[in-house]
Amino acid sequence: MSDVTSLNPGTNGLIADLVADLQPVKRLPSPWLRAALWLGIVVVLACALATVADLSALRHRLMGAPDMWLAVLGSTATAGLAAIAAFQLGLPDRGRAWALLPLPGLALWLGASGLGCARTWFLPETHGPADGKDCMMFIIGLSVPLTVVMFAMLRRGYSLYPSLAGAVGGLAVAAAAATLLNFFHPFDAAITDLAVHATAVALVVGANRLLGGAILAPRRRARA
Amino acid sequence: MTAALANSLCVGMMHLPSTGERRMATSERATEDLDRRLCVLMIDVQGGDRHAYAEVLRACEPVIRRAGRRAGVTDDRLNDVVQETLLTLHHARQTFDPSRSFLAWISVIAQRRAIDVMRRHGRNDRREVHAPLAYESHADAGSNSDRGWEQSGRVKILGAAIASLPDGQREAVERLALREQSLTEAAAETGKTTGALKVNLHRALKALRLRLGGESEHV
């Protein structure tokens, strides 16, 4: 052990201040458990939305177009993997490489959605009436409460990459909202739909990135 | 929390004796013992034990210095890394998981803080040149050697301007400019880092220049 007298005077003073400032803290549960808790909230929300959605029409639609299953699977996987990555990035000893975790789900989501676009491009009669404004409002509107919960949970950690943690958390939020949109999306995704969805997801991720820098940044929190 | 319970929580550090472990070098075993001890102490720290906290913080200092040196931080900036890392530990203490190695945890944080310190100093070094001799020996075209400070009364004006500076800036001006102490001497006496003193001096000179409307360039 280092003798206190051998420490730099400034470090000694800092240690005295930190010791005087010590308060008991509740140990943070593992990031896996916290991600599961956040996803559990999404599942509860999904169950609530399922009570007002036309589930038989949803099943019929998904059976009719296999690429839609893949797109839903991709957005669900993106939400799950991004939530895990965000809570890992919320810890000071985890590397930035965690931000790559949602990429497989994102690739599946984009790929399957692109496949749906290509089908409606060649077979335009398979595409129903689209209302991009409603889709965008749904994704952004549902993202607000999910973002509030996500940031309330991330704030208990201490991220050295706050903007990145916020952006990845935003991806989880946007992917979850886009997955839940399927309950009320009675048609396959055309290019215009896909562009609207991508814009909404990008807006949510960008807003969460800014929020991460503003709310999770260590210096601002130290002053608070 | 009892020692037995705390030890059982630090499962990451538990080991079963084996032939390989019996051959383990003494230094490695000492590191492992230190790791387990700090892990147990951190559990007490999370519970609010100040004695344990002081011990953990002091024990971290050499670990952080080693991590800083490994990251390529020069000796004169290691104190910055130590202080930044201790502050991070303080704000992130709730995130420590006793099932993981404490030394690995603090070393990763120190490495990240070392990179931050190097980036920050790299930016400052690109913008600023520390050349006190060149600064002092710069000839001011507007100066008049026939008219001394005493005659013009500017000593009083300058004294008042320095006295009105914030404590940290005034201390930097008094020690580095007026008493002509070296950065190392001033840092040792004040307990501040050389970086902090340089920043304070820079800000003080800027404030004096603004306040005296160009006359302070004689400082």
Side-chain angles (χ1 to χ4, degrees):
Chain A
M1 296 274 165
S2 168
D3 182 8
V4 66
T5 54
S6 69
L7 293 176
N8 172 279
T11 306
N12 248 335
L14 177 67
I15 289 176
D17 289 346
L18 295 181
V19 169
D21 186 48
L22 183 71
Q23 298 292 331
V25 286
K26 195 175 172 194
R27 192 179 307 134
L28 208 60
S30 85
W32 302 95
L33 187 63
R34 293 161 71 220
L37 184 63
W38 185 82
L39 289 168
I41 292 169
V42 176
V43 169
V44 169
L45 200 58
C47 292
L49 291 175
T51 58
V52 291
D54 186 352
L55 293 180
S56 60
L58 172 69
R59 197 178 306 114
H60 179 72
R61 194 166 63 247
L62 293 180
M63 291 296 185
D67 47 76
M68 283 188 72
W69 265 114
L70 288 176
V72 172
L73 187 66
S75 62
T76 308
T78 303
L81 294 174
I84 292 167
F87 287 111
Q88 292 284 355
L89 287 166
L91 299 177
D93 58 331
R94 306 300 155 91
R96 266 184 288 204
W98 277 103
L100 302 176
L101 186 66
L103 287 187
L106 192 61
L108 179 63
W109 184 14
L110 292 177
S113 301
L115 205 65
C117 274
R119 187 161 45 74
T120 52
W121 182 271
F122 292 112
L123 301 168
E125 67 277 9
T126 62
H127 181 246
D131 192 344
K133 190 180 157 198
D134 286 349
C135 293
M136 182 172 272
M137 292 310 293
F138 184 92
I139 291 176
I140 292 176
L142 202 58
S143 292
V144 173
L146 291 176
T147 295
V148 170
V149 176
M150 171 68 79
F151 273 85
M153 293 173 78
L154 281 177
R155 263 182 72 82
R156 288 205 57 215
Y158 191 88
S159 178
L160 295 187
Y161 308 114
S163 296
L164 186 61
V168 175
L171 181 61
V173 164
T179 304
L180 298 181
L181 173 67
N182 286 289
F183 281 126
F184 307 102
H185 202 254
F187 40 80
D188 199 359
I191 285 179
T192 48
D193 288 330
L194 191 63
V196 167
H197 295 185
T199 305
V201 169
L203 281 174
V204 172
V205 172
N208 276 261
R209 185 178 180 279
L210 292 175
L211 275 176
I215 295 174
L216 305 177
R219 284 178 198 284
R220 291 178 191 225
R221 294 179 60 186
R223 273 190 226 121
Chain B
M1 179 174 292
T2 64
L5 180 58
N7 264 317
S8 68
L9 278 171
C10 294
V11 289
M13 298 298 98
M14 290 177 77
H15 67 278
L16 298 168
S18 67
T19 310
E21 281 182 336
R22 280 196 293 275
R23 288 195 201 118
M24 190 186 283
T26 312
S27 62
E28 285 178 17
R29 201 169 297 154
T31 305
E32 196 171 291
D33 288 344
L34 174 65
D35 198 1
R36 191 190 300 187
R37 173 161 172 67
L38 289 174
C39 175
V40 171
L41 285 172
M42 268 306 281
I43 295 171
D44 293 338
V45 168
Q46 289 174 331
D49 184 335
R50 293 186 175 173
H51 292 293
Y53 195 32
E55 193 175 338
V56 167
L57 293 176
R58 285 174 201 140
C60 281
E61 197 254 355
V63 178
I64 298 168
R65 283 184 180 277
R66 271 199 298 277
R69 280 198 197 94
R70 272 201 304 273
V73 177
T74 51
D75 283 352
D76 60 324
R77 285 167 183 170
L78 279 175
N79 280 333
D80 289 356
V81 178
V82 170
Q83 293 181 10
E84 293 261 350
T85 308
L86 292 183
L87 273 171
T88 304
L89 186 156
H90 184 70
H91 292 295
R93 62 191 186 279
Q94 76 281 5
T95 68
F96 174 66
D97 178 358
S99 66
R100 298 168 79 99
S101 159
F102 175 81
L103 289 179
W105 184 74
I106 196 68
S107 296
V108 171
I109 294 174
Q111 194 184 10
R112 304 248 161 87
R113 283 312 191 198
I115 293 167
D116 289 345
V117 165
M118 285 195 293
R119 276 191 193 140
R120 194 165 59 237
H121 284 293
R123 277 198 297 270
N124 288 345
D125 290 348
R126 277 198 298 276
R127 281 199 303 259
E128 298 172 7
V129 176
H130 181 60
L133 288 176
Y135 186 78
E136 284 175 16
S137 60
H138 174 69
D140 180 6
S143 68
N144 182 350
S145 58
D146 294 336
R147 193 176 53 178
W149 283 98
E150 290 82 3
Q151 289 169 329
S152 64
R154 279 185 279 186
V155 168
K156 284 183 182 172
I157 298 170
L158 181 61
I162 291 174
S164 67
L165 291 170
D167 289 347
Q169 295 180 16
R170 191 179 64 245
E171 188 177 49
V173 169
E174 284 173 354
R175 289 180 182 277
L176 299 173
L178 301 182
R179 291 190 216 163
E180 298 184 341
Q181 284 184 328
S182 69
L183 276 170
T184 318
E185 287 169 347
E189 286 184 19
T190 60
K192 292 182 176 168
T193 63
T194 55
L197 284 168
K198 275 195 276 186
V199 169
N200 275 334
L201 179 63
H202 179 76
R203 288 178 180 162
L205 292 178
K206 194 176 171 187
L208 288 174
R209 207 173 290 132
L210 282 174
R211 202 161 298 171
L212 302 177
E215 291 183 20
S216 66
E217 286 182 8
H218 295 287
V219 175

